[in-house]
Amino acid sequence: DTAVSQTPKYLVTQMGNDKSIKCEQNLGHDTMYWYKQDSKKFLKIMFSYNNKELIINETVPNRFSPKSPDKAHLNLHINSLELGDSAVYFCASGTDMSNTEAFFGQGTRLTVV
Amino acid sequence: AQKITQTQPGMFVQEKEAVTLDCTYDTSDQSYGLFWYKQPSSGEMIFLIYQGSYDEQNATEGRYSLNFQKARKSANLVISASQLGDSAMYFCAMIDTGANSKLTFGKGITLSVRP
């Protein structure tokens, strides 16, 4: 019973390609996030969605486009991949308002070559 | 703006001993939450413990406890009876309450447990 699942776990692709990472949560949470972890292990928020609506967009290039078909899913689509996009991307979900829970997916290690 | 500070260099602890991982935070919010996560070498982010700013008692979850000192703005993680499997990177994070909230992370601390 994986609470937050994201696929794929590993993604290797060439520069210029378009790729998607999928995320699903079965916790009934209203809020979902995408975080990027860089090579120095620093975790930085990219987007948050609350009930399918975009709440936070933290100065992310518009090549990154999140899509939330319903509140249990938040997918990340990346166009025209660049070498600097190589990182680990984490999906997370949390409770609304009280924010007492926040669980992460297993991460997707993206390598752009 | 919220800020989390984790300044300890790599930490080492002998198996079965207790260890404290430091975390200080800065926020102007009155209501917020503090989290600790463990990231082993396999890469996943594992939720360990949560403390609300209005919780009067320190949070505990098994061998993990959070030493919450609100006036000092510190939220240190205490791991008792360390195990080899505790070797990992540990992140402190904070979140404010409300719909536009986000988790703000510290830069993490590496813990190595020695046999």
Side-chain angles (χ1 to χ4, degrees), chain A residues 37 41, chain B residues 6 8-13 19-21 36-48 63-64 77 79 82-92 107-114:
Chain A
Q37 187 174 38
K41 300 291 188 180
Chain B
Q6 295 179 265
Q8 288 168 308
M11 294 285 290
F12 294 87
V13 65
V19 63
T20 298
L21 306 182
W36 276 92
Y37 291 89
K38 172 184 178 181
Q39 188 175 39
S41 57
S42 51
E44 67 267 34
M45 291 286 287
I46 302 168
F47 165 76
L48 295 179
R63 294 185 300 110
Y64 304 108
L77 177 71
I79 305 175
S82 297
Q83 301 172 356
L84 296 178
D86 294 334
S87 294
M89 194 146 186
Y90 289 81
F91 291 93
C92 179
K107 66 178 185 178
I109 303 168
T110 300
L111 174 67
S112 300
V113 180
R114 292 172 168 152

Side-chain angles (χ1 to χ4, degrees), chain B residues 7-55:
Chain B
T7 57
Q8 288 168 308
M11 294 285 290
F12 294 87
V13 65
Q14 205 67 31
E15 196 177 7
K16 300 181 185 177
E17 291 185 350
V19 63
T20 298
L21 306 182
D22 295 342
C23 173
T24 59
Y25 61 91
D26 191 21
T27 181
S28 56
D29 295 317
Q30 295 301 310
S31 181
Y32 51 88
L34 295 153
F35 294 80
W36 276 92
Y37 291 89
K38 172 184 178 181
Q39 188 175 39
S41 57
S42 51
E44 67 267 34
M45 291 286 287
I46 302 168
F47 165 76
L48 295 179
I49 198 165
Y50 168 84
Q51 177 85 42
S53 58
Y54 289 116
D55 294 341

Side-chain angles (χ1 to χ4, degrees), chain A residues 9-22:
Chain A
K9 187 171 182 180
Y10 299 98
L11 186 53
V12 181
T13 187
Q14 289 188 323
M15 281 176 57
N17 283 351
D18 303 338
K19 290 293 178 185
S20 293
I21 307 171
K22 296 185 176 181

Side-chain angles (χ1 to χ4, degrees), chain A residues 32-82:
Chain A
M32 294 185 73
Y33 308 87
W34 278 106
Y35 280 83
K36 179 180 180 180
Q37 187 174 38
D38 61 24
S39 58
K40 295 183 180 179
K41 300 291 188 180
F42 186 66
L43 280 146
K44 186 173 166 59
I45 190 164
M46 300 172 67
F47 302 102
S48 79
Y49 270 69
N50 184 271
N51 274 317
K52 303 191 298 176
E53 290 190 18
L54 178 66
I55 301 297
I56 294 174
N57 181 340
E58 286 277 316
T59 322
V60 178
N62 58 15
R63 297 182 296 103
F64 291 78
S65 54
K67 286 187 172 53
S68 182
D70 54 62
K71 77 171 193 178
H73 295 83
L74 180 61
N75 303 323
L76 183 65
H77 189 76
I78 315 169
N79 289 328
S80 303
L81 279 155
E82 300 177 357

